Amino acid sequence: MKKLWGGRFKGNTDKVVESFTSSLSFDVRLWNYDIEGSMAHVKMLGKQKIIPRKDAALILRGLAEIREEIQAGTFKFRDSLEDVHMNIEHALIKKIGPAGGKLHTARSRNDQVALDLRLFLRDEISEVEKLLRKLQQALVSAAEKHVGTLMPGFTHLQKAQPVLLAHHLLAYFEMLERDCERFADCLKRVNVMPLGSAALAGTTLPIDRKFVAQLLKFPRISENSMDAVSDRDFVIEFISSSAVLMAHLSRFSEEMIIWSNDEFGFVELPDAFTTGSSIMPQKKNPDVLELTRGRTGRVYGHLMAILTVMKGLPLAYNRDMQEDKEPVFDTVDTVKSCLIVLSEMMPEIRFNEKVMARAAEGGFLTATDLAEYLVRKGMPFRDAHRVTGEIVRYCIDGNKRMSDLNLKEFRQFSKLIGGDIFSYISAGSSVSGKKSYGGTSPRMVQARIRQIKKRGKRFRAEG
Ligand code: ARG
């Protein structure tokens, strides 16, 4: 087939080269954005009288028809036409004749593809944000049910201090909150209109870039044509924000996997979100969580790929940049599917409150509370730490829990200890005592939940 750029060529492109260079198999996904961008471009060309208004109208009608054909599945994409842009333009010329050849005036595929990708990511970011909010909501709902559920908090994966399950769940809410902020910030750089940069230098024709930006609802246009066609920072930022988000989803998954393990028994995973083993009849495997954890690796890989593709490129456009699309598409798909499956799974996870509470007692989880008790009685913290350590040692040697000791035994270690000590060393009182801002006391946790819900209401009201 004769190429749209075939003028200066005598021979045909080698078949192997055609398939080697073609991006159609993946960039076909951009078709709708490509048409949307072309429509805005052609309206501008008409308004500026760069092409006759009647040609602009003809092109618009042709593009609308192509859109319908693609939607209906009757459009024939041809791999030999390299990419989605060429396919649509070629079909337009075939459909409306030579006037179709005016669409590409004052434009190059270099600014065109940058525009398409920005339009695509702008939509996807708003999808990802919606899904993030949904998962956050699921976490808050679970937290609300568990403001009374005690569990051991861990450091080094060793039991450390009692905490509320609600507090633990809300830690993930905060991570996702930062993810939302990162995507919103990334959107500022995505939301810049590159069209009109042409191949790299701009154009001699009297285009109106601001008009195109208005039509496509971009708040800003790019400032430097060379930068505009060679910039993929916005792709890097999107994948990087996605990588951080995946790290959060992976940590959550890992935690649920551990908690569902028999040794922990903290949670029961829903049947609908687990799978069986083909050989061991008793097994119930947390595959959804494992795949979320595993797919984090893909997104990290995509980040490394796009950073590497970009690192050695001289200005301006280079074909290497076609390699941006598969990583970004797969990142979008991976992130969205993980968010969907986790937010559907979240409400179905059953927390074994009794097992968690039992695990929060014993194990000297309130030793720090004892030390802080001594501090309140005037003892320097370092001494309080040592005295408490001695009490723990005494308990271990006598095979006792701290709450088994009587007042006389406590006072062997410090005369500062009084009868009130017993109301400080239970898991429940330990948690209630953590009233410092951001701490795990029910008061603090409830206040944070109220704040989050109030804000949620405001968001919904503002639409
Ligand atoms: N398929 C190309 C890409 O994805 C479109 C831009 C091609 N530009 C060019 N000068 N060959 O990057």
Side-chain angles (χ1 to χ4, degrees), residues 5 21-24 26-27 30 82-86 108-114 117 199 232 317-325:
W5 41 252
T21 52
S22 174
S23 53
L24 183 68
F26 46 89
D27 67 15
L30 294 172
E82 255 185 82
D83 55 27
V84 67
H85 325 289
M86 290 301 211
S108 130
R109 268 186 299 160
N110 300 348
D111 53 347
Q112 185 180 356
V113 70
L117 206 51
R232 290 295 182 273
Y317 177 84
N318 300 269
R319 192 65 178 267
D320 314 44
M321 288 158 71
Q322 180 169 294
E323 291 296 304
D324 61 356
K325 275 166 221 68

Side-chain angles (χ1 to χ4, degrees), residues 353-383:
E353 303 174 12
K354 286 207 185 88
V355 178
M356 292 181 128
R358 212 178 313 125
E361 300 290 346
F364 308 104
L365 269 70
T366 55
T368 316
D369 299 276
L370 173 56
E372 288 185 356
Y373 170 89
L374 290 168
V375 165
R376 268 197 303 277
K377 303 265 165 168
M379 193 183 282
F381 180 73
R382 274 293 150 229
D383 296 334

